[in-house]
Amino acid sequence: MILEMKVPSPGESIKEVEIATWLVKDGDYVEKDQAIAEVDSDKATLELPAEASGIITLKAEEGDAVAVGAVVCLIDTSATKPAGDAPAKEEAKPVVAEAPKAEAPKAAPVAEKTYATQAPSPAARKILDEKNIQPTDIVGTGKGGRITKEDAVNATPSMGTPTGGTRGSERTKLSMLRRKVAERLVAAKNETAMLTTFNEVNMTPINKIRNEYKDAFKAKHGGLGLGYMSFFTKAVTRALALFPDVNSMIDGDFKTAYDFCDISIAVSGPKGLMVPVVRNAELLTFRGVEAEIKRLAIKSRDGQITVDDMTGGTFTITNGGVFGSMLSTPIINPPQSGILGMHNIIERPIAVNGKVEIHPMMYVALSYDHRIIDGRESVGFLVAVKEALENPLELLMHGDAKKALEL
């Protein structure tokens, strides 16, 4: 029996996918549920499992765009599995003698320039030294090829020539996911009134809490780390409750406001930037936020992230600091209206109660859609985030760190 395998729908709004990689070859025997291909949609990279065991015949090439529901391969379910588990040996490749290289045609003789054959004059030497130019690079116009002062004055430094280094290039097609990301980024810049406001956060209070409780937190919660993202997520959900316009979206002539906080967390995956969503983050504890972020990060790293994991989201947090970024202007993740950018932590001198002290400082940036969020709301939101991060014990933990961390 010949089974036709069709492209399943990865999501409601997705009409086609692209064959990123075939994991099997034409004519291979495949087992049921074996991953046979990786397919790119405009939202994620997904594995395509075999629907039955048998001999596979591929019907699409890598890089082909295939409509959802189209046949991508056939599986002959009546075929028997080849005997033996040992992999087939590679066929010996015939050795082909290289053809002798044709000699390059000789270029037509050209008149050679007469370069300096005698030392430049003292005045010319001084000028060349100032310009860092070698006399052998100059055509002398004086007697016997001597470099004159005028030659040195008119000389310009050489821009250099290739000296044996590689100068190759490679042209590859962008994945469907990368093309969609590019399209969305351009749309965000062109279709929103994006503005960015900045502030800085003294990370000393958070560092004190982490240093005091991170070992106990890890031991109590099965190896789960107490990172910065739980503090930032809790600070953001608190600020969104205070400034609900930042947690809303514009839809034509209407505004859609949300009474929940689905926080998109930008993470780096093997196929590029992924933005999975932490649902109802306002209801999660520190442990709950850390556990959910870890789960989604592992799925992204292993290429198991799904469209549902990245669908929705009312606000985004991105952390460029893990790559060493000091300051940036993050781009809004449409149709959301705001995104908070975290950056690296650097010890800097700041004024504290009239004295100069060294503290670990982080710049934070809020990019927002000015069509729906005014300056008062955007600045107030970022100040609220700063206040919570600089006083986490009172504003995020209600005065009891052990209880908040479930220790």
Side-chain angles (χ1 to χ4, degrees):
M1 174 182 175
I2 302 298
L3 171 70
E4 293 184 338
M5 268 199 61
K6 299 178 180 179
V7 177
S9 175
E12 191 173 321
S13 62
I14 299 175
K15 303 301 181 184
E16 69 174 13
V17 298
E18 188 174 279
I19 305 297
T21 307
W22 281 110
L23 304 177
V24 296
K25 298 190 293 293
D26 197 48
D28 280 357
Y29 185 88
V30 298
E31 300 283 358
K32 184 179 179 181
D33 296 327
Q34 174 186 345
I36 60 173
E38 289 183 351
V39 296
D40 283 342
S41 72
D42 58 11
K43 294 183 179 178
T45 298
L46 309 170
E47 285 190 346
L48 189 65
E51 296 177 4
S53 300
I55 300 294
I56 192 168
T57 302
L58 309 183
K59 291 295 183 182
E61 301 288 338
E62 291 184 358
D64 285 355
V66 184
V68 170
V71 176
V72 287
C73 65
L74 306 176
I75 299 179
D76 183 359
T77 59
S78 62
T80 56
K81 185 176 181 179
D85 295 327
K89 296 181 180 178
E90 285 192 16
E91 294 183 6
K93 296 182 180 179
V95 178
V96 180
E98 290 189 3
K101 295 180 180 178
E103 292 185 3
K106 295 181 179 179
V110 295
E112 294 185 358
K113 292 181 179 178
T114 302
Y115 287 87
T117 57
Q118 298 183 25
S121 67
R125 166 64 73 180
K126 182 179 180 181
I127 295 172
L128 292 178
D129 288 344
E130 290 174 353
K131 292 185 174 183
N132 197 25
I133 299 175
Q134 295 298 320
T136 53
D137 295 333
I138 306 300
V139 178
T141 60
K143 185 176 181 181
R146 187 179 180 87
I147 298 174
T148 65
K149 180 180 178 180
E150 185 179 357
D151 294 332
V153 170
N154 295 330
T156 56
S158 170
M159 297 303 294
T161 56
T163 56
T166 59
R167 293 173 58 79
S169 63
E170 182 181 5
R171 187 171 185 266
T172 57
K173 186 178 182 180
L174 296 175
S175 68
M176 182 177 285
L177 174 61
R178 175 54 63 183
R179 297 198 302 270
K180 188 63 177 180
V181 168
E183 178 184 320
R184 287 168 62 85
L185 291 176
V186 172
K189 294 285 286 184
N190 293 339
E191 298 172 10
T192 65
M194 195 175 78
L195 201 62
T196 304
T197 184
F198 303 93
N199 216 314
E200 61 180 0
V201 177
N202 184 345
M203 300 296 288
T204 299
I206 290 179
N207 284 348
K208 286 182 178 179
I209 293 174
R210 291 183 69 241
N211 291 336
E212 184 175 355
Y213 296 109
K214 65 181 180 181
D215 292 337
F217 187 87
K218 190 172 185 178
K220 178 69 181 291
H221 302 303
L224 193 65
L226 178 60
Y228 292 111
M229 284 303 302
S230 54
F231 288 92
F232 271 82
T233 302
K234 298 291 288 181
V236 162
T237 58
R238 173 183 177 273
L240 289 176
L242 296 173
F243 298 93
D245 278 352
V246 184
N247 198 41
S248 61
M249 301 179 189
I250 193 168
D251 182 13
D253 294 333
F254 296 87
K255 178 179 78 172
T256 302
Y258 301 94
D259 61 358
F260 57 88
C261 300
D262 282 357
I263 306 299
S264 303
I265 305 291
V267 296
S268 180
K271 296 289 185 178
L273 190 68
M274 304 287 181
V275 194
V277 180
V278 177
R279 311 284 178 187
N280 284 109
E282 78 280 5
L283 303 179
L284 297 179
T285 62
F286 281 83
R287 179 189 61 82
V289 172
E290 292 290 354
E292 184 65 3
I293 290 176
K294 181 178 179 180
R295 182 185 72 85
L296 293 170
I298 291 174
K299 290 186 71 174
S300 298
R301 180 197 65 194
D302 295 342
Q304 302 297 319
I305 202 78
T306 67
V307 173
D308 289 339
D309 290 326
M310 295 187 290
T311 299
T314 61
F315 186 87
T316 296
I317 302 176
T318 180
N319 184 7
V322 296
F323 304 111
S325 171
M326 183 189 76
L327 188 63
S328 66
T329 55
I331 298 179
I332 296 171
N333 181 19
Q336 297 173 19
S337 299
I339 179 172
L340 179 71
M342 302 166 56
H343 300 90
N344 62 353
I345 301 171
I346 299 293
E347 288 194 342
R348 290 191 283 111
I350 62 171
V352 179
N353 298 323
K355 296 181 179 179
V356 176
E357 297 181 6
I358 305 296
H359 285 271
M361 303 298 293
M362 175 193 285
Y363 290 116
V364 288
L366 173 71
S367 292
Y368 61 97
D369 190 345
H370 211 344
R371 296 178 302 167
I372 195 171
I373 303 172
D374 291 331
R376 185 184 73 85
E377 282 76 22
S378 61
V379 174
F381 172 88
L382 196 56
V383 169
V385 170
K386 172 184 170 68
E387 291 172 344
L389 295 173
E390 292 186 337
N391 190 10
L393 185 61
E394 296 300 323
L395 298 181
L396 300 180
M397 296 178 162
H398 307 293
D400 192 338
K402 287 187 175 182
K403 184 177 180 180
L405 298 176
E406 302 174 61
L407 299 178

